[in-house]
Amino acid sequence: MPFWQFPFLRLTLHYEALLPEKDMNRNQKLIIFGGGATVLCLIALVVILIINNSTRTDEVNQARAEMESLRLANDRLLLTNEFNQLNADFNQYEDQQIYLKNDSLIQKYNEARLKVEGLLSELDQEKKNNAANRKRIKELEGEIATLKGIVKHYLEEIRRLGEENEGLRQEIQQVTQRNEQLSSQVTQATTQNKELTQTVKLAKKLNITGLSFQAYNKKGKVEKNITKAKQLGVSFIVSPNNTASPGMKDFYIRILTPEGVLLGGNDTFQLDGANVAATAKRQMEYANEELSVSVYWDVNTTLTPGDYTVEVFADGNRLASRHFTMKK
């Protein structure tokens, strides 16, 4: 609507018609200038409103963009922290990977972890718009979910294997304790058997009494001067023993000179698994009754005065050992 059609302008024009022509021209000019000024004010007001509205819209859009960027940064930070925590939880059990060395679980985890690390690095290095970053974060959320499933399965396997190992450890401990008990029992039984064997051996051992050592001259008479001896004789009595095994018995004698030299040495016998040289031996039958035994050795060397050691053996046992002083 043109400005001259406004009601107040029509009223003014109607009023001006009643005025003189000179006054009317002056009033018309005033009205025209006043109306123009009013229109300019209105236009300026509209422009100001439009500019203010545009500025406010830009500020709102900028605020929204900043808010979206902050939200995106927060989401990325939360996602990074979640991944780091998940990685720390997994690394806590990496020393137990020996339990899963034949499983593909570790390979799957490492592949997923490397992929997520790559996406995080890419997200930090590249400058993308919010939509692209949001897409990446969605991808990361999917990878994190995969990792959670893998780690959950991993921890369940560790827990299960740990329980199995604990059961095996307890079982092994029980078996070990049982073995120790059995070993102790076996040791005790072995000791008892040894003691029993030794007792039986001692019970079956022949006992002798009256051990004597004499030197004889060439006429077979007892010779007190050892330097003139042509034969040496050892005599003893075997006591009755019903526990001992009857039968033929080999009696061995060992005669050691004052210098510690064994006389003779052609005969040997077994003693504690070793061959031992003897001066002489004599075989006799033992019937669990008293038995007199004499063993002789022909002198083939020069004998000296002093202490002679005489030992008697039979059935692998030492029956006696004595020292005899022989004079010149």
Side-chain angles (χ1 to χ4, degrees), residues 141-184:
E141 289 175 350
E143 295 297 336
I144 289 290
T146 301
L147 278 177
K148 284 184 177 180
I150 292 175
V151 172
K152 180 180 179 181
H153 177 62
Y154 180 87
L155 298 182
E156 289 176 352
E157 281 292 299
I158 291 295
R159 189 179 299 108
R160 181 183 64 81
L161 293 173
E163 292 174 354
E164 291 181 359
N165 290 335
E166 178 63 21
L168 290 175
R169 188 187 66 80
Q170 294 179 357
E171 184 177 350
I172 290 174
Q173 184 177 4
Q174 294 175 356
V175 171
T176 302
Q177 292 176 350
R178 180 59 179 166
N179 288 338
E180 290 177 354
Q181 294 175 355
L182 291 176
S183 177
S184 177

Side-chain angles (χ1 to χ4, degrees), residues 279-320:
T279 301
K281 79 169 184 177
R282 183 174 180 182
Q283 188 176 69
M284 296 186 68
E285 185 174 0
Y286 178 70
N288 301 109
E289 298 176 352
E290 185 176 279
L291 177 67
S292 297
V293 180
S294 295
V295 183
Y296 300 95
W297 177 73
D298 294 334
V299 177
N300 57 13
T301 186
T302 301
L303 299 178
T304 60
D307 291 336
Y308 284 75
T309 301
V310 177
E311 298 176 327
V312 181
F313 298 86
D315 296 334
N317 297 311
R318 186 197 303 268
L319 304 184

Side-chain angles (χ1 to χ4, degrees), residues 220-254:
K221 301 295 182 178
V222 175
E223 178 62 54
K224 293 183 179 180
N225 187 347
I226 191 64
T227 60
K228 296 180 179 180
K230 299 299 179 180
Q231 190 178 56
L232 298 177
V234 176
S235 299
F236 53 87
I237 297 174
V238 180
S239 303
N241 187 351
N242 294 328
T243 307
S245 302
M248 299 301 295
K249 302 290 183 180
D250 291 328
F251 294 93
Y252 295 89
I253 63 171
R254 282 169 53 88

Side-chain angles (χ1 to χ4, degrees), residues 20-294:
E21 181 178 355
K22 183 178 179 179
D23 294 334
M24 185 176 62
N25 290 334
R26 186 179 56 187
N27 289 334
Q28 285 179 351
K29 292 179 180 180
L30 291 175
I31 291 172
I32 291 172
F33 285 123
T38 300
V39 171
L40 290 176
C41 288
L42 290 175
I43 292 173
L45 180 61
V46 171
V47 170
I48 291 172
L49 290 176
I50 292 174
I51 292 173
N52 288 338
N53 184 56
S54 176
T55 302
R56 189 172 300 171
T57 301
D58 292 341
E59 291 178 352
V60 170
N61 291 336
Q62 183 177 359
R64 287 179 179 175
E66 292 178 355
M67 183 66 68
E68 182 66 21
S69 297
L70 290 175
R71 186 181 297 110
L72 189 63
N74 183 65
D75 291 344
R76 184 167 53 193
L77 179 61
L78 292 177
L79 196 61
T80 303
N81 292 337
E82 188 175 6
F83 170 75
N84 291 335
Q85 182 60 45
L86 189 63
N87 193 37
D89 293 340
F90 184 88
N91 290 335
Q92 181 180 358
Y93 295 92
E94 282 192 348
D95 58 340
Q96 304 185 44
Q97 289 185 10
I98 185 174
Y99 299 133
L100 302 173
K101 60 183 179 181
N102 294 327
D103 202 303
S104 61
L105 179 61
I106 297 175
Q107 180 180 357
K108 293 179 180 178
Y109 173 84
N110 289 332
E111 291 176 355
R113 181 170 60 179
L114 289 175
K115 186 173 183 180
V116 171
E117 288 176 350
L119 290 173
L120 287 173
S121 177
E122 178 183 345
L123 207 59
D124 290 335
Q125 294 177 4
E126 295 187 8
K127 302 299 181 181
K128 298 180 180 293
N129 55 38
N130 289 339
N133 285 336
R134 178 62 63 184
K135 179 180 179 182
R136 283 301 192 190
I137 286 182
K138 291 299 181 181
E139 292 177 358
L140 286 174
E141 289 175 350
E143 295 297 336
I144 289 290
T146 301
L147 278 177
K148 284 184 177 180
I150 292 175
V151 172
K152 180 180 179 181
H153 177 62
Y154 180 87
L155 298 182
E156 289 176 352
E157 281 292 299
I158 291 295
R159 189 179 299 108
R160 181 183 64 81
L161 293 173
E163 292 174 354
E164 291 181 359
N165 290 335
E166 178 63 21
L168 290 175
R169 188 187 66 80
Q170 294 179 357
E171 184 177 350
I172 290 174
Q173 184 177 4
Q174 294 175 356
V175 171
T176 302
Q177 292 176 350
R178 180 59 179 166
N179 288 338
E180 290 177 354
Q181 294 175 355
L182 291 176
S183 177
S184 177
Q185 294 175 359
V186 169
T187 301
Q188 293 177 359
T190 301
T191 302
Q192 292 175 355
N193 289 338
K194 287 182 178 180
E195 293 175 352
L196 181 61
T197 301
Q198 186 66 23
T199 301
V200 172
K201 185 178 181 180
L202 291 175
K204 296 175 66 176
K205 179 182 177 181
L206 298 176
N207 295 316
I208 63 173
T209 60
L211 178 63
S212 64
F213 177 60
Q214 297 288 340
Y216 299 93
N217 56 29
K218 61 181 179 179
K219 294 181 179 181
K221 301 295 182 178
V222 175
E223 178 62 54
K224 293 183 179 180
N225 187 347
I226 191 64
T227 60
K228 296 180 179 180
K230 299 299 179 180
Q231 190 178 56
L232 298 177
V234 176
S235 299
F236 53 87
I237 297 174
V238 180
S239 303
N241 187 351
N242 294 328
T243 307
S245 302
M248 299 301 295
K249 302 290 183 180
D250 291 328
F251 294 93
Y252 295 89
I253 63 171
R254 282 169 53 88
I255 302 174
L256 300 175
T257 66
E259 295 78 18
V261 178
L262 176 69
L263 298 177
N266 293 327
D267 296 305
T268 60
F269 63 93
Q270 289 286 320
L271 180 66
D272 297 329
N275 286 326
V276 180
T279 301
K281 79 169 184 177
R282 183 174 180 182
Q283 188 176 69
M284 296 186 68
E285 185 174 0
Y286 178 70
N288 301 109
E289 298 176 352
E290 185 176 279
L291 177 67
S292 297
V293 180
S294 295

